[in-house]
Amino acid sequence: MVGKMKIRFVIFSFFLAVVFLFVYWGSQPFTVKFSKDFYYDYDLNSIFGNSKAGDIPPEIIDFSYDNNFVVVKQKPKSKYSGMYNCPEDLNYKNGIDETYYWLISLKEKKVYGPMLLEEYNILCKEKNVQLEFKNNKYVKKKNL
């Protein structure tokens, strides 16, 4: 009888440990890796690139990607901390109250942007980018 209780206790403890791990892993921030040089960080709602290409600071509204490109829709924040590898003078042509678009060429390891929609559409046509925004489920949702 005592042996059965020990086995039940071990099984129950194992079950609780597995449940705890799933809850723990599910609550952790995560990244979406586009290539060895670029990834989206959910916690920071930013895209980070290699030191040569640069980053796309918050707030990322949406992105889509394939093996060649990442397309990004962004609503800039007014201030960024020093953690981003991007030029101090990002050219937000219409100020920060506008939505901007970015294109990352994974093969070239190059970031294009920020751009207004018209510029973005022209560049996508030139580079034959076929990606569309579809309200990516991995993007951290915030009230913008």
Side-chain angles (χ1 to χ4, degrees):
M1 191 74 150
V2 174
K4 284 187 178 183
M5 289 184 71
K6 284 184 180 180
I7 292 173
R8 285 183 183 171
F9 177 77
V10 169
I11 292 171
F12 181 73
S13 298
F14 178 77
F15 176 77
L16 282 178
V18 169
V19 168
F20 173 77
L21 286 174
F22 277 112
V23 169
Y24 176 76
W25 287 330
S27 66
Q28 294 301 303
F30 61 93
T31 61
V32 176
K33 197 162 186 155
F34 307 123
S35 72
K36 68 177 186 162
D37 295 298
F38 295 97
Y39 67 94
Y40 170 76
D41 185 294
Y42 180 84
D43 192 43
L44 297 172
N45 199 14
S46 303
I47 293 177
F48 292 93
N50 63 35
S51 59
K52 186 177 179 184
D55 305 329
I56 301 175
E59 300 287 334
I60 304 298
I61 299 171
D62 202 359
F63 66 81
S64 185
Y65 66 100
D66 61 18
N67 291 333
N68 299 311
F69 297 102
V70 181
V71 293
V72 181
K73 193 185 293 188
Q74 178 214 27
K75 177 82 164 101
K77 286 175 69 173
S78 60
K79 299 216 184 251
Y80 302 112
S81 67
M83 67 187 310
Y84 297 99
N85 171 31
C86 44
E88 291 297 317
D89 57 345
L90 284 175
N91 187 14
Y92 292 118
K93 296 174 183 171
N94 289 357
I96 61 168
D97 292 327
E98 186 78 34
T99 298
Y100 291 92
Y101 299 84
W102 300 72
L103 176 68
I104 301 172
S105 172
L106 298 174
K107 303 269 188 218
E108 294 176 89
K109 300 179 183 176
K110 186 169 182 180
V111 177
Y112 299 91
M115 298 173 273
L116 297 172
L117 183 58
E118 185 176 325
E119 298 167 290
Y120 166 79
N121 286 335
I122 291 169
L123 184 60
C124 285
K125 189 173 184 177
E126 287 174 7
K127 296 204 171 279
N128 196 30
V129 178
Q130 303 294 318
L131 295 167
E132 294 181 17
F133 295 108
K134 296 182 180 174
N135 198 18
N136 192 307
K137 67 181 179 180
Y138 295 115
V139 174
K140 188 173 188 176
K141 303 299 179 199
K142 293 193 174 194
N143 296 329
L144 298 175

